[in-house]
Amino acid sequence: DPVKEILDLKIGLRISEGQEAKLKVIQDSLGAQNQVLARELQAEMAKQGANVDGARMLTVIRPRLEKAQKHLQDALDAIKSVLTPEQWNSLPERVKAPRGLGPGGQRRAPPESE
């Protein structure tokens, strides 16, 4: 949850009370959107029964994962508009570009292990 991480860093970032209130609205919205997606996915999985067809399941899961990624990117865009440029630039990269989101919301390849 990027908002939680930002709020955990609020003293160092000098987040104002007004900014904190706006960030909490973003956090609540993202949480609500993800709950809806989770309920939809649970309902679809229940329909599949015990003999789940992997290809069919992928067609059910993929659009919801893409929606979840879009919701996260929208939340990050909203967060960026709430913070000052200095606050945004002070955030750790893991908050500004969570794992799995690369430029344009595309999935990034995992780092190569040595």
Side-chain angles (χ1 to χ4, degrees):
D1 180 353
V3 176
K4 181 185 180 317
E5 287 198 54
I6 292 168
L7 293 175
D8 288 346
L9 299 169
K10 74 179 181 181
I11 293 173
L13 291 173
R14 299 180 183 194
I15 300 288
S16 71
E17 288 181 18
Q19 286 175 311
E20 184 174 355
K22 289 176 183 177
L23 290 171
K24 286 182 178 180
V25 169
I26 294 166
Q27 182 179 39
D28 291 346
S29 176
L30 180 60
Q33 290 171 330
N34 287 340
Q35 284 180 347
V36 168
L37 288 176
R39 282 193 299 271
E40 289 175 0
L41 188 55
Q42 287 173 341
E44 284 292 332
M45 291 176 75
K47 287 181 194 176
Q48 298 296 315
N51 298 320
V52 178
D53 173 11
R56 168 73 181 123
M57 195 44 125
L58 188 57
T59 63
V60 169
I61 293 173
R62 179 173 280 137
R64 286 173 177 83
L65 288 176
E66 289 170 356
K67 273 187 182 178
Q69 287 179 332
K70 183 183 181 322
H71 294 161
L72 178 57
Q73 187 59 56
D74 290 347
L76 289 170
D77 292 343
I79 290 166
K80 189 173 183 178
S81 74
V82 169
L83 300 178
T84 67
E86 293 79 19
Q87 288 169 323
W88 177 259
N89 291 332
S90 296
L91 291 174
E93 203 56 38
R94 71 177 186 279
V95 175
K96 295 190 286 187
R99 189 172 175 193
L101 286 183
Q106 300 298 313
R107 293 191 65 78
R108 289 186 290 190
E112 293 183 23
S113 31
E114 296 181 23

